[in-house]
Amino acid sequence: MLPLDWSLWPAEARLLLTLTLIWSLAGLLILGSASWWVASREMGEGAYYLKRQVIWMLASWGLLSLAVSTDLRRWMKVAGPAVWIGCLLVAATLLFGDPVNGASRWLPIGPMQIQPSELVKPFVVLQAANLFAHWKRSGVDQKLLWLGSFGALILLILKQPNLSTAALTGLLLWLMAFSAGLRLRSLFGTALVGAALGFSSIMINEYQRLRVVSFLNPWQDPQGDGYQLVQSLLAIGSGGILGQGFGLSTQKLQYLPIQSTDFIFAVYAEEFGFIGSVMLLLFLMLVAFLGLRVALRCRSNQARLTAIGCTTLLIGQSLMNLAVASGAMPTTGLPLPMVSYGGNSLLSSLLVAGLLIRCSLESTSLVGGRRPRRQNERSNQHLAPSR
Amino acid sequence: MTDPEAGRRSRRRPRQRVIPLEPVPAARMRWVFTLLCLGLIGLMGRMAWLQVMQSSALEARARSVQTQRTDPLGTRRPIVDRAGRLVALDEERFRLWAHPNNFRFPGDDPSVVRQPLDLARRLSGLLALPMADLVQRMGDRPSGIRLAEGLDPETASEVRRLGISGLDLEAYSHRVYPQGNLFANVVGFLNLEREPQAGLEQSRDRDLQRHEQSRSLRRGADGTPLPDNLSPGIFFGDDLRLQLTLDARLQELAAKALAAQVKEWSAKKGVAIVMDVRNGELLALASTPTYDPNRYWDFPPALFREWSVQDLYEPGSTFKPINLAIALQEKVIGPNDTVNDIGQLQIGGWPIFNHDKGANGVIDFATVLQVSSNVGMVQAMRNLEPLRYWQWLSKLGLESKPDTDLPGAVAGQLKTSQQFTTQPIEPATAAFGQGFSLTPLKLVQLHALLANGGRMVSPHITRGLRSGDGLARRNRTLGQPLIRPEVTRTVLAWMESVVEKGSGKGARTAGYRIGGKTGTAQKALNGVYVPGAKICSFVATLPIEDPRYVVLVVVDEPQGGNAYGSTVAVPVAKQIIDGLLVIEKIPPSGGRTAHQPARRPAVALDGAPASAG
């Protein structure tokens, strides 16, 4: 079952698996508390969202185990086409999507709703790792092809409009490029272009502009544009140092909107207080640290970049979600990985976690990876284990 | 993989140079990690700010939104009659405030402010007020204008449905008296500031105030109350109603009959009282003239007091049965004794006549009552030692404030025992009901005592507070026994003969045994009897075989030479008795209509001559 005997697993991989499990279970508990009241009011069943989340969680853990047991190179091979398929699906949402809250992010497939912009993220990481791993040796056409593909993807996501996912994808790509050791000048040039793009998007889309303005001073219009953020701040503030106790949030009782997805952290913060918030942030920091360790241990550039990309995606998305909920960033709709309600987000997040663990496993050279054909690639591994 | 491809392509480049594959630099990855950590640490700072520094302010703000505070509206309990008919209740009314600086119709741009005229156009139909009026009321003031008052809930909800911003509806309670003037004399009213001004509203103010407390309740956004920090009894709401003993139908009947008679005789005022003798409950206390408590400002404040409870009068002949009962109780006369009515007596230098100045000869006490012989009464009461007589009058409570819930009840006036015992004229006039004064209410109480077998019951008009639609049970208090039952039976038999063939004939009702006594008393002003000023009254007890009700009708200063108790008061009492028999479903008294057949042919009205028996 396990791709590698448990005793041979590196400490990072073991820890990451454990932490992912804890994260998932804690996520279920938090979601249960945040969604029960609303589910019983709106769906007639308190466990409505929780049950569905559990099913998605099981499926996502299946995907995680697939990621852990599959050779990273095979993922790399499908990454490119997957990004293109992702582009097509995102484009499809623009044509056939169900508009929810003014944005068409969802594509109905039978009884399910899929969110291509969410599902494409792990493959963006993989393909970016592919591209940046030997950036300097790639031809201009390759660079242009993939940079163009990424750009098209981001633009399509932006068109949904889904500023947050677009920004996250852009930031992710930029940080991966940064990690890959690209020249700082071109990196910061790109950052400027990206910032300009984001700025113009904000200027063009009124709903985004209003959100940005309301984020600066939500109390100006607490019943209007600032409503979500004000309610979130009230929830977080009500938590105090020790919190109200698990299940005892008042703001989740339909004061706080979208409390089981984008603002689920506010419910958590109200129930667990400052101590809970700090523990969550320290937890994220630990995951980030483990991710860094995995990345440093990895033998191939692709694996390294995949590891740092996965870490950046998981932690960066959590960070952005928390920043939105606490009013440190404009209000955008990003789910909190493993916690927010939604199957697409779960699948994507656990696949990313699985890839990270796989990277760690492959760093042992006991599984996966082809025997290096090139000497220079071998020699560049500064931590070559003896075989 | 891309490696070989990249290699192939690079060969096609002009510069055929193999670019070495550089490893991903560890420093850059550490930088990324550092960046993420900085973000997380920044968030910790943000959380510390929100959850430690700002926590109390944010929590207070959250609680103020989540907590709903309700303040007491100052509502009052309803008052209902003995059958649960509403006599007084609170209705929700609305005051409409206008803020012209904020006038906007639904769908208007937030920057638009409508003119008062636009608003008046929409509102004038709803409020039934001319547009010009509304515009004028708004004037140039920017906000806080009281546009309308007393809107009913339907109108208020229609105004609300207009969705006009800048209009504000304020709810308040308004006391309504659906029976109009029918119970005004006893129930009283609230003024516009909701302060009780008269009647029960004033005397039982505390009982009528609804138990309300301001309460804070945390709720979910959908209004669900949360079981959190609740003090005991927070959901307690009372639906108590004050129940009267009065019957609206009988009250209405009595009021109509009385008002018609008072008008016909151009009298000053009148009162009709019906009492249940078994427990002192009043079934009717109708007074005329009265006022409409819904429009109290249209009436002189003198009407706001119930005179039958607060004004004294000399009862005259209606008191004679009480005196006879005292004498019988003291055994100074016997049931079959007779007196010689010689038509005129000289007592302490004062002449005493019968009202017609005629003599009735030797008559029994039934006849004394039938012809209302003053001389006969004086002779009967002479047998009683004056001090003993005074003590009895005192014992019957003439001087003390009656034990009643009627607001403002006053005590009667009696001469001092010294005056009473040293001046022979005092017991003599008291024998035919003059020289002391009492309220009509007190007289009813004393006649109830005769009717119920000698017990002193407390006259009252409230049964108590009951929840919801529940009705209070009849009060079963037994009063203090003062007179022996056989004495009262004797007096009642005499009173029955008054209706059978005496001055009370007008109250005769086929199938029922009714006792009664008329009274035509002179009015005294500052100790001098006012010529022509009379108080005509009639008191009836029914049914004689098992007395349950006393009916008293008093009419003050009817005009005309023929104004007597029998002509003015009896017809009103007769109408009330007819109504009472129906409303209280009293069965007829069997075959006999007269308990004590008369030895002599029936005599006519008060004072018609009767020959000695």
Side-chain angles (χ1 to χ4, degrees), chain A residues 134 250-251 255 277 304 326, chain B residues 3 24 46 66 218-219:
Chain A
H134 23 65
T250 307
Q251 282 293 99
Y255 290 104
S277 305
R304 285 187 152 204
S326 60
Chain B
D3 280 7
V24 170
R46 177 75 182 160
Q66 294 156 354
R218 215 196 286 181
R219 290 172 182 275

Side-chain angles (χ1 to χ4, degrees), chain A residues 14-97:
Chain A
R14 293 189 203 180
L15 261 174
L16 276 172
L17 190 68
T18 316
L19 291 183
T20 310
L21 189 64
I22 292 173
W23 198 346
S24 304
L25 293 178
L28 285 178
L29 285 177
I30 296 168
L31 178 80
S33 166
S35 69
W36 195 279
W37 172 283
V38 172
S40 64
R41 287 290 179 287
E42 290 174 357
M43 299 298 170
E45 184 194 358
Y48 183 90
Y49 294 116
L50 189 60
K51 275 184 185 168
R52 279 153 183 76
Q53 183 84 340
V54 167
I55 292 167
W56 278 113
M57 187 66 88
L58 292 175
S60 304
W61 271 85
L63 192 61
L64 177 137
S65 61
L66 182 72
V68 169
S69 54
T70 307
D71 200 323
L72 201 56
R73 285 187 307 153
R74 296 177 67 175
W75 286 112
M76 292 293 181
K77 276 186 191 143
V78 299
V83 168
W84 283 332
I85 291 170
C87 283
L88 287 177
L89 288 177
V90 172
T93 61
L94 299 177
L95 297 174
F96 316 107

Side-chain angles (χ1 to χ4, degrees), chain A residues 254-255, chain B residues 68 218-225:
Chain A
Q254 289 172 328
Y255 290 104
Chain B
Q68 195 186 45
R218 215 196 286 181
R219 290 172 182 275
D222 59 349
T224 313

Side-chain angles (χ1 to χ4, degrees), chain B residues 482-500:
Chain B
L482 291 177
I483 307 254
R484 292 193 306 278
E486 56 270 27
V487 169
T488 63
R489 272 199 297 276
T490 307
V491 177
L492 284 181
W494 294 340
M495 284 174 69
E496 185 182 9
S497 76
V498 173
V499 173
E500 276 305 309

